[in-house]
Amino acid sequence: MIIDGKKTAAELRQELKKRVAELKSTHNAVPGLTVILVGEDPASKIYVKNKEKFAKEVGMNSEVIRYPADVEEKVVLNKINELNEDKKISGILVQLPLPKHIDKRKVIETILPGKDVDGFHPMNVGNLSSGYDSSIPCTPLGCSLLLKKAEKNLSGKHAVVIGRSNLNGKPMTQLLLKENCTVTVTHSKTKDLKAECLRADIIIAAVGIPKLVKGDWVKKGAIVIDVGINKTDSGIVGDVDFDQVLKVAKAVTPVPGGVGPMTIACLLSNTVECFKKLN
Ligand code: NAP
């Protein structure tokens, strides 16, 4: 089975469109997402453009605040404080990466946890790991929804997460624990990654190495979620050798068309959740 992220994301956006319309009739207001973009990073510009497009598609208010790469840190922090106070704004996202002179941690910690649609604020990270209600980082949230397409009950499954970043690997680990999986977290110092993968019912690959996970790394019937987005001479590829893995896995996500489209749909879902809590 190929898990179709494009279709799943479109279904989620359709559902969000209905929820936004309901909120409009009950609250006489719609969720508002503000994205802050600093500099001219080409990939960031594309992501932000898509975020704006899909936010509008589901009926949300959406605004992008753009700053030149040499903007002073305090200008960005002051703007975040202003947005924190603005009742029309339910979600604030600062597009990463930021230029070196801006302290990413300070920026993340200035966003009100209740408006932190990326789920990066330490309060949300702590709540997620404590099993409390929190904003969940969009990419791992999207991976969870795709996993559920392949297998409804994940309880007792052995999941191997490749990568331990704050963005992907760590929050993914928490989500899998919440589903009662037994989780092995692997990283660049893991001794025998292939052996670890061969024990897995579920593999989440979030590494950044093209086609790292081969067909003979995967147990027959496993589910494989590929988070990787790697630019190569032959185009964009994931962290999984899709053609090889498709032959042995029960289900696998393609790249492109797998996890990628889910990330923005989950961002919109987080914005709706923040609106509901703030109102
Ligand atoms: P990251 O911060 O660079 O983290 C990579 C992780 O992989 C690290 O924990 C690293 O281990 C581990 N690693 C590196 N080499 C390894 C190896 N040979 N074996 C096992 N583990 C290894 O990356 P990230 O931000 O999580 O992103 C991972 C990938 O996902 C990238 O391709 C990125 O473009 C993609 N991505 C996709 C989406 C989406 O929407 N689909 C969103 C975000 C990111 P150490 O901790 O030991 O260094």
mmCIF file of all heavy atoms in Angstrom, residues 81-90 115:
data_model
loop_
_atom_site.group_PDB
_atom_site.id
_atom_site.type_symbol
_atom_site.label_atom_id
_atom_site.label_comp_id
_atom_site.label_asym_id
_atom_site.label_seq_id
_atom_site.Cartn_x
_atom_site.Cartn_y
_atom_site.Cartn_z
ATOM 1 N N ASN A 81 5.500 40.032 20.290
ATOM 2 C CA ASN A 81 4.751 40.490 21.480
ATOM 3 C C ASN A 81 3.454 41.188 21.082
ATOM 4 O O ASN A 81 2.423 41.010 21.724
ATOM 5 C CB ASN A 81 5.625 41.414 22.329
ATOM 6 C CG ASN A 81 6.590 40.598 23.185
ATOM 7 O OD1 ASN A 81 6.197 39.573 23.744
ATOM 8 N ND2 ASN A 81 7.828 41.022 23.268
ATOM 9 N N GLU A 82 3.531 41.954 20.007
ATOM 10 C CA GLU A 82 2.331 42.659 19.504
ATOM 11 C C GLU A 82 1.267 41.620 19.057
ATOM 12 O O GLU A 82 0.095 41.733 19.380
ATOM 13 C CB GLU A 82 2.772 43.482 18.295
ATOM 14 C CG GLU A 82 1.934 44.675 17.939
ATOM 15 C CD GLU A 82 2.530 45.308 16.688
ATOM 16 O OE1 GLU A 82 3.612 45.931 16.789
ATOM 17 O OE2 GLU A 82 1.949 45.132 15.610
ATOM 18 N N LEU A 83 1.734 40.588 18.329
ATOM 19 C CA LEU A 83 0.812 39.544 17.831
ATOM 20 C C LEU A 83 0.240 38.717 18.988
ATOM 21 O O LEU A 83 -0.905 38.284 18.941
ATOM 22 C CB LEU A 83 1.534 38.615 16.834
ATOM 23 C CG LEU A 83 2.027 39.276 15.548
ATOM 24 C CD1 LEU A 83 2.966 38.335 14.785
ATOM 25 C CD2 LEU A 83 0.860 39.677 14.653
ATOM 26 N N ASN A 84 1.055 38.522 20.040
ATOM 27 C CA ASN A 84 0.574 37.787 21.219
ATOM 28 C C ASN A 84 -0.662 38.467 21.810
ATOM 29 O O ASN A 84 -1.569 37.808 22.303
ATOM 30 C CB ASN A 84 1.659 37.737 22.306
ATOM 31 C CG ASN A 84 2.746 36.726 21.992
ATOM 32 O OD1 ASN A 84 2.551 35.828 21.182
ATOM 33 N ND2 ASN A 84 3.902 36.869 22.644
ATOM 34 N N GLU A 85 -0.668 39.813 21.752
ATOM 35 C CA GLU A 85 -1.758 40.592 22.364
ATOM 36 C C GLU A 85 -2.966 40.713 21.443
ATOM 37 O O GLU A 85 -4.051 41.083 21.881
ATOM 38 C CB GLU A 85 -1.266 42.030 22.665
ATOM 39 C CG GLU A 85 -0.126 42.114 23.664
ATOM 40 C CD GLU A 85 -0.551 41.639 25.039
ATOM 41 O OE1 GLU A 85 -1.678 41.947 25.454
ATOM 42 O OE2 GLU A 85 0.241 40.895 25.668
ATOM 43 N N ASP A 86 -2.764 40.444 20.153
ATOM 44 C CA ASP A 86 -3.815 40.699 19.152
ATOM 45 C C ASP A 86 -4.862 39.568 19.162
ATOM 46 O O ASP A 86 -4.552 38.419 18.821
ATOM 47 C CB ASP A 86 -3.147 40.797 17.760
ATOM 48 C CG ASP A 86 -4.123 41.251 16.692
ATOM 49 O OD1 ASP A 86 -5.349 41.080 16.878
ATOM 50 O OD2 ASP A 86 -3.653 41.757 15.656
ATOM 51 N N LYS A 87 -6.073 39.916 19.536
ATOM 52 C CA LYS A 87 -7.131 38.886 19.690
ATOM 53 C C LYS A 87 -7.533 38.252 18.351
ATOM 54 O O LYS A 87 -8.081 37.143 18.328
ATOM 55 C CB LYS A 87 -8.359 39.515 20.352
ATOM 56 C CG LYS A 87 -8.099 39.968 21.772
ATOM 57 C CD LYS A 87 -9.316 39.804 22.642
ATOM 58 C CE LYS A 87 -9.033 39.730 24.124
ATOM 59 N NZ LYS A 87 -7.882 40.430 24.638
ATOM 60 N N LYS A 88 -7.253 38.920 17.259
ATOM 61 C CA LYS A 88 -7.614 38.369 15.933
ATOM 62 C C LYS A 88 -6.631 37.266 15.495
ATOM 63 O O LYS A 88 -6.903 36.523 14.566
ATOM 64 C CB LYS A 88 -7.637 39.480 14.873
ATOM 65 C CG LYS A 88 -8.739 40.526 15.092
ATOM 66 C CD LYS A 88 -8.874 41.453 13.922
ATOM 67 C CE LYS A 88 -7.663 42.339 13.664
ATOM 68 N NZ LYS A 88 -7.242 43.235 14.753
ATOM 69 N N ILE A 89 -5.483 37.205 16.142
ATOM 70 C CA ILE A 89 -4.457 36.221 15.742
ATOM 71 C C ILE A 89 -4.521 35.000 16.655
ATOM 72 O O ILE A 89 -4.367 35.109 17.867
ATOM 73 C CB ILE A 89 -3.031 36.844 15.839
ATOM 74 C CG1 ILE A 89 -2.934 38.163 15.066
ATOM 75 C CG2 ILE A 89 -1.963 35.849 15.389
ATOM 76 C CD1 ILE A 89 -3.226 38.063 13.600
ATOM 77 N N SER A 90 -4.754 33.824 16.047
ATOM 78 C CA SER A 90 -4.797 32.594 16.850
ATOM 79 C C SER A 90 -3.482 31.820 16.767
ATOM 80 O O SER A 90 -3.161 31.036 17.656
ATOM 81 C CB SER A 90 -5.923 31.667 16.401
ATOM 82 O OG SER A 90 -6.675 32.161 15.350
ATOM 83 N N LYS A 115 -0.467 30.285 21.254
ATOM 84 C CA LYS A 115 -0.498 30.668 19.835
ATOM 85 C C LYS A 115 0.637 29.988 19.057
ATOM 86 O O LYS A 115 0.860 30.280 17.885
ATOM 87 C CB LYS A 115 -0.381 32.192 19.690
ATOM 88 C CG LYS A 115 -1.565 32.954 20.286
ATOM 89 C CD LYS A 115 -1.545 34.428 19.898
ATOM 90 C CE LYS A 115 -2.793 35.134 20.431
ATOM 91 N NZ LYS A 115 -2.947 36.489 19.900
#
